[in-house]
Amino acid sequence: GRGNAAFMTHRRTAPKFAERGEPGIGRWLGVELRLVADVGFLGMPNAGKSTLLSAASAARPKIADYPFTTIVPNLGVCDLGEEGSGLVLCDIPGLIEGAARGTGLGFSFLRHVQRCKVLLHVVDGTSDDPVGDFEVLNNELAMYDDLLAEKPQVVVLNKCDVSEVREKQDELVEELRMAAGHSRVMTISAATTQNVQELMGRLKKFVEAERKKVEGAS
């Protein structure tokens, strides 16, 4: 109904009456929120994503030596020391085979990486099959959303401070490059911060290049 302002006149400047309202239409709406970040961290549980986030930013996510320590996405900002050069990072809870169908925690959080400009695939070098893990997660991305599978990726082989990984890292890097179909693969140790700063610098340049590419296409 109309309020008292609708009945104002020069003589009646503050009407003390109004029309009764009629029943309106009500509805329930579901709103899905997605985090927006420059780089989204992907990887199997315990691959070292949260450790990498804490090494690269001031974020302090929960870190422990058991799977699914991270149960909610964590955001952090990497300050590269130049004005306006902050890199927004998003640590996604660990994904496993079947995540696209709802297995584990992945189904709830895969939507967040849809808004990330670049994906950082963190591969656990101590896994029984690091290359197999990489391929499994890429298959899950493709099953969940074709556009996710096409997002630009950078791949890092983590935990290279472990002697067993260090001994075979050259071989693993070459296999990951073949599996990924590009050369954007490097080794890091999130625990000791080895190559972490270099990685962030490369990611910043890659994100800026991808942004210019999108702007040029539009």
Side-chain angles (χ1 to χ4, degrees):
R2 291 178 295 174
N4 67 333
F7 301 99
M8 287 179 58
T9 65
H10 293 296
R11 294 183 177 180
R12 188 188 297 120
T13 57
K16 298 185 181 301
F17 55 88
E19 289 182 342
R20 287 184 176 274
E22 296 179 357
I25 298 174
R27 67 180 64 180
W28 287 94
L29 299 176
V31 180
E32 183 178 88
L33 300 178
R34 298 177 182 177
L35 296 177
V36 180
D38 294 315
V39 182
F41 293 1
L42 291 177
M44 289 284 188
N46 241 25
K49 302 180 297 298
S50 297
T51 304
L52 177 57
L53 181 67
S54 65
S57 70
R60 291 295 175 263
K62 182 179 180 181
I63 299 172
D65 60 353
Y66 55 84
F68 298 113
T69 309
T70 302
I71 57 176
V72 294
N74 292 304
L75 287 176
V77 178
C78 176
D79 183 6
L80 297 176
E82 299 176 7
E83 187 176 353
S85 65
L87 198 62
V88 182
L89 313 172
C90 181
D91 169 24
I92 305 297
L95 306 176
I96 60 175
E97 187 170 5
R101 299 184 299 275
T103 305
L105 299 173
F107 187 78
S108 302
F109 303 114
L110 272 172
R111 66 181 182 272
H112 291 297
V113 296
Q114 291 177 310
R115 299 294 299 274
C116 297
K117 298 179 180 68
V118 171
L119 302 182
L120 179 67
H121 201 134
V122 183
V123 179
D124 184 355
T126 62
S127 168
D128 293 335
D129 186 6
V131 179
D133 291 347
F134 172 78
E135 292 174 335
V136 164
L137 287 195
N138 275 334
N139 288 336
E140 293 300 323
L141 293 182
M143 291 173 61
Y144 183 77
D145 186 350
D146 290 338
L147 293 178
L148 261 184
E150 296 173 3
K151 272 190 177 292
Q153 284 192 21
V154 174
V155 185
V156 290
L157 180 66
N158 192 24
K159 304 185 181 180
C160 288
D161 56 306
V162 179
S163 58
E164 292 83 356
V165 180
R166 190 165 54 245
E167 291 172 0
K168 57 182 180 180
Q169 70 178 24
D170 292 340
E171 178 185 348
L172 287 173
V173 166
E174 189 58 35
E175 291 179 4
L176 285 170
R177 283 175 176 164
M178 292 181 62
H182 58 74
S183 60
R184 297 186 300 273
V185 182
M186 64 181 294
T187 59
I188 67 165
S189 169
T192 65
T193 70
Q194 174 189 342
N195 292 340
V196 170
Q197 195 66 19
E198 179 185 353
L199 169 64
M200 293 299 118
R202 291 189 182 186
L203 281 172
K204 180 61 179 178
K205 292 179 181 178
F206 189 49
V207 168
E208 290 176 347
E210 289 298 317
R211 183 183 293 119
K212 290 178 181 178
K213 187 185 300 183
V214 171
E215 291 174 352
S218 59

